[in-house]
Amino acid sequence: MRATDHDHKGHGRGAPLGRVTLAHDERTLRRKLLTLEDGTDVLVDLPQTVKLEDGDVLVLEDGRHVDVAAAPEALLEIRARDTEHLMALCWHLGNRHLPCQIDYAGARLLIGRDHVIAAMLEGLGATLAEIEAPFSPLRGAYHEAGGHGHHHDHGHDHHH
């Protein structure tokens, strides 16, 4: 089986053929053989590299689809004293070009575990906890200028 397209979560495609669970750095794909949770192999053969998020789908040549799930990863949960402190912590992480997930609802930042960065953050007054959770860091400013990364007709009119 071959996946030749993808779609974003929330586009409601019905029951999937299967599911593949991937870490954040495994969800950047163009051409790769993936094994679904049930052992089925699917060749991803996309026209360009895409960054898949939790809940996105890979679309097979025959129209069926495979759900993409974010795998739990070893992360550092970072909490700040207040909003100003949180912004300063974001600046320090961004200055080091680290993949970072901003959880607005939980008022926390998530990054991959790194003892050197953990020591820096503790020195800056952050509260840290080691957790296991799916990781969906923000994309960089230069990742996909001008769009959301795929160019095909969904068959209905909408905007992202």
Side-chain angles (χ1 to χ4, degrees), residues 67-81:
D67 285 345
V68 176
E73 299 185 48
L75 303 175
L76 273 180
E77 176 186 74
I78 305 159
R79 295 195 182 269
R81 293 183 300 270

Side-chain angles (χ1 to χ4, degrees), residues 52-64:
L52 299 169
E53 298 298 335
D54 185 57
D56 287 353
V57 299
L58 291 166
V59 181
L60 304 177
E61 288 177 304
D62 64 7
R64 294 180 295 169

